[in-house]
Amino acid sequence: AQSVTQLDSHVSVSEGTPVLLRCNYSSSYSPSLFWYVQHPNKGLQLLLKYTSAATLVKGINGFEAEFKKSETSFHLTKPSAHMSDAAEYFCVVSDLKDTGRRALTFGSGTRLQVQP
Amino acid sequence: KAGVTQTPRYLIKTRGQQVTLSCSPISGHRSVSWYQQTPGQGLQFLFEYFSETQRNKGNFPGRFSGRQFSNSRSEMNVSTLELGDSALYLCASSPRTSGSPDTQYFGPGTRLTVL
């Protein structure tokens, strides 16, 4: 069975400072991992995904994440926050279910606030 | 390419009624998944369809059902609505079945309010 833990429900940063959103996962198999962003009243947009290639994954809008198997972590970072980054971020694991088919499990989300 | 579209965007129903939500995937995508998003439970997987067959199912009661048509469009139905069914229902499409970790592309959601 798989699970995803987002360690912070809220993160507040100042514009221009680094962003770190933390995610730990557990998985019985080799997982694929994703970060999605959700702006208010919108659907989810894919930021980046890890599928067992390079451990450092670059995504859209300057975001990147590093897969660390030894720490079972997949933290999301951005060097410099922008006001438009304010949103909710979801860490997601795609893993095999008992049915033998993959399904997504979502973390509980981290709300990022960006202060001017 | 047009994105995933969901209709209606907003819906208000009363307890005991039933509701049908519609999802049109990205052109060429054959897999459609449905999720329920609530403040208390977060995002939960409902079911996934591929080639008109349900391939995966989450832990929801039988009041929640779905289907997929030959053009890959999907509908989900909730019967005997309860107050707790109030949620944002998200549809996502991907090119093929979830046998491999395909990226899912989400629609804007349908906001269902049950009074």
Side-chain angles (χ1 to χ4, degrees):
Chain A
Q2 70 274 23
S3 70
V4 182
T5 302
Q6 291 184 242
L7 298 167
D8 307 291
S9 58
H10 288 86
V11 169
S12 183
V13 301
S14 298
E15 190 174 21
T17 64
V19 175
L20 170 64
L21 305 183
R22 298 183 294 166
C23 173
N24 285 112
Y25 71 92
S26 65
S27 171
S28 304
Y29 304 95
S30 297
S32 293
L33 295 158
F34 305 79
W35 276 98
Y36 282 86
V37 60
Q38 186 177 32
H39 288 92
N41 299 314
K42 302 277 189 179
L44 278 70
Q45 179 186 18
L46 178 71
L47 281 177
L48 49 82
K49 68 176 179 180
Y50 165 78
T51 55
S52 73
T55 57
L56 183 62
V57 183
K58 292 189 184 298
I60 62 171
N61 301 337
F63 284 95
E64 62 182 40
E66 186 172 7
F67 174 72
K68 292 187 177 180
K69 187 174 181 179
S70 60
E71 299 176 12
T72 61
S73 69
F74 189 57
H75 301 335
L76 181 71
T77 60
K78 183 173 180 177
S80 175
H82 191 273
M83 294 297 289
S84 61
D85 295 328
E88 185 137 23
Y89 292 78
F90 293 93
C91 181
V92 184
V93 61
S94 173
D95 206 348
L96 285 175
K97 293 288 212 181
D98 295 339
T99 57
R101 299 199 177 273
R102 286 185 174 269
L104 298 185
T105 300
F106 288 77
S108 54
T110 298
R111 183 162 298 280
L112 175 65
Q113 289 182 311
V114 182
Q115 309 292 342
Chain B
K1 265 186 186 178
V4 177
T5 58
Q6 292 186 245
T7 56
R9 292 291 314 276
Y10 300 91
L11 206 49
I12 299 175
K13 292 284 188 179
T14 56
R15 279 183 300 173
Q17 287 187 308
Q18 75 162 19
V19 67
T20 299
L21 312 181
S22 180
C23 172
S24 293
I26 292 171
S27 177
H29 285 194
R30 299 171 64 189
S31 171
V32 173
S33 298
W34 287 90
Y35 298 86
Q36 182 196 64
Q37 185 178 25
T38 60
Q41 300 296 319
L43 270 153
Q44 294 184 286
F45 171 73
L46 279 156
F47 27 65
E48 180 201 0
Y49 286 87
F50 178 79
S51 292
E52 302 177 65
T53 302
Q54 188 180 90
R55 292 299 182 99
N56 225 335
K57 191 176 188 305
N59 295 323
F60 277 81
R63 299 184 297 107
F64 291 82
S65 63
R67 59 178 176 168
Q68 187 181 33
F69 302 95
S70 57
N71 61 358
S72 294
R73 190 178 70 85
S74 177
E75 288 181 348
M76 68 162 279
N77 184 277
V78 187
S79 62
T80 320
L81 284 166
E82 302 176 359
L83 295 179
D85 297 333
S86 295
L88 181 67
Y89 289 89
L90 292 164
C91 167
S93 75
S94 63
R96 51 190 172 163
T97 187
S98 56
S100 62
D102 275 319
T103 300
Q104 296 198 4
Y105 298 87
F106 285 81
T110 294
R111 171 78 60 189
L112 171 65
T113 302
V114 181
L115 302 176

